[in-house]
Amino acid sequence: MSQQPEPLEERRVWVGTSWKMTKTIAEAGTFIDAIAAADLSPRVQLFVLPAHTSLAVVRGRLPADSPVRLGAQNAHWDAEGAHTGEVSMRMVADAGASLVELGHSERREQFHETDEIVALKVRAALDAGLTPIVCVGESATVRAAGDAAAFVAAQAAAALRRTHPDEVPQLMFAYEPVWAIGDAGRPARPEEVAPVLSEITDRVARFSQGRRCLALLYGGSVDQDNASAFLEADNVDGLFVGRAAWTAEGLLRLVAIADQCVRRPADPELHDAW
Ligand code: PGA
């Protein structure tokens, strides 16, 4: 991370949400219409990951020049083939995605996605011109054993196995401790996750010979009460949010908080992250 703050107008913070398996096409349309009508801060890069079924509809309802980026929550690594029920990177790009989320803990747990599968998907996403959002995070058991930073950094390194160091600026990571995600999750305290964020940053920089990934996001029970604390943490370029951003009002509140954080006058601690 750079030592000096960038000029205000060049700084960007990311705020995005995966809708997971929550919205019909009609519900997705109502949500995105509210986002399209909002006055969005140029300092906040907003992204939304609808279900595959509503991706093209959401794309169609945003103006062509909308700054909102869309993505898929998953896609297969093969370009095409007999994979019943799956969609390819090319297909989600065709439906309007420029991003693709890979390796979310729910996919790792419920669909047995391994580090190798995630690495294959990262390769396929880059080949299809998509920006991967690679999710990494440790379970409560790994954390209790004191291995969180090493485990998560190893997950990040494994995801990069099929990439070239030059490609690192084309992908994002999202650190989401498994124990902090969802209804059963406990929100993390920023000081609990700081060493892991730092280790991810170092490991990625080592692999890429000093190049930074496009962004390192934090996620897991992020809401309007804790958002600014995570945004002000070192090594955090933005937020990846589930439940608190599943209404347009909730997402726009988080965008407003992010905008306030990025506008805040220079504070050396705060700007270490940029
Ligand atoms: P949550 O989900 O914000 O509802 O905890 C986060 C995620 O799974 O990305």
Side-chain angles (χ1 to χ4, degrees):
M1 302 290 164
S2 64
Q3 296 305 302
Q4 292 302 315
E6 293 168 21
L8 187 67
E9 60 279 10
E10 289 174 19
R11 288 209 315 271
R12 285 278 192 292
V13 62
W14 293 75
V15 175
T17 181
S18 161
W19 290 344
K20 304 194 183 182
M21 198 173 73
T22 65
K23 295 191 194 309
T24 63
I25 291 172
E27 290 160 355
T30 304
F31 186 121
I32 211 66
D33 288 350
I35 299 297
D39 190 15
L40 296 174
S41 162
R43 289 166 288 273
V44 180
Q45 176 59 63
L46 183 53
F47 68 91
V48 175
L49 311 183
H52 292 149
T53 47
S54 46
L55 190 45
V57 170
V58 168
R59 171 74 277 156
R61 283 169 91 138
L62 283 174
D65 62 351
S66 169
V68 177
R69 292 186 66 174
L70 298 178
Q73 299 172 22
N74 175 46
H76 200 276
W77 63 89
D78 271 353
E80 59 182 21
H83 302 305
T84 299
E86 290 288 321
V87 297
S88 69
M89 300 290 170
R90 190 172 67 98
M91 289 159 70
V92 298
D94 181 51
S98 64
L99 308 167
V100 61
E101 179 182 7
L102 301 174
H104 188 277
S105 66
E106 289 152 13
R107 294 215 55 90
R108 291 179 190 260
E109 278 175 24
Q110 299 171 24
F111 303 97
H112 314 294
E113 287 197 6
T114 61
D115 282 346
E116 176 56 10
I117 289 176
V118 174
L120 285 165
K121 290 185 175 192
V122 170
R123 179 69 269 146
L126 292 170
D127 289 344
L130 293 168
T131 301
I133 306 171
V134 181
C135 300
V136 290
E138 83 287 0
S139 66
T141 313
V142 169
R143 174 157 288 260
D147 296 333
F151 178 89
V152 174
Q155 270 186 334
L160 294 172
R161 245 182 240 145
R162 291 168 184 271
T163 65
H164 188 274
D166 287 351
E167 294 175 306
V168 164
Q170 299 168 40
L171 56 88
M172 300 199 267
F173 282 95
Y175 170 43
E176 304 198 305
V178 179
W179 48 271
I181 293 174
D183 286 330
R186 166 179 80 73
R189 293 186 299 278
E191 63 272 20
E192 289 179 292
V193 296
V196 183
L197 289 158
S198 163
E199 190 69 25
I200 297 168
T201 303
D202 289 353
R203 185 68 68 91
V204 171
R206 229 180 303 144
F207 171 80
S208 64
Q209 291 137 23
R211 294 175 195 83
R212 290 190 52 196
C213 63
L214 182 58
L216 173 52
L217 311 180
Y218 179 75
S221 293
V222 170
D223 60 23
Q224 55 180 326
D225 296 327
N226 61 25
S228 54
F230 288 116
L231 283 168
E232 290 171 8
D234 285 353
N235 299 306
V236 172
D237 302 312
L239 302 174
F240 193 18
V241 190
R243 293 157 298 154
W246 284 349
T247 62
E249 302 72 47
L251 178 57
L252 291 172
R253 258 196 310 273
L254 290 165
V255 169
I257 291 167
D259 183 60
Q260 284 303 312
C261 285
V262 85
R263 280 165 180 260
R264 215 163 276 166
D267 164 348
E269 300 253 316
L270 167 65
H271 292 301
D272 274 358
W274 293 95

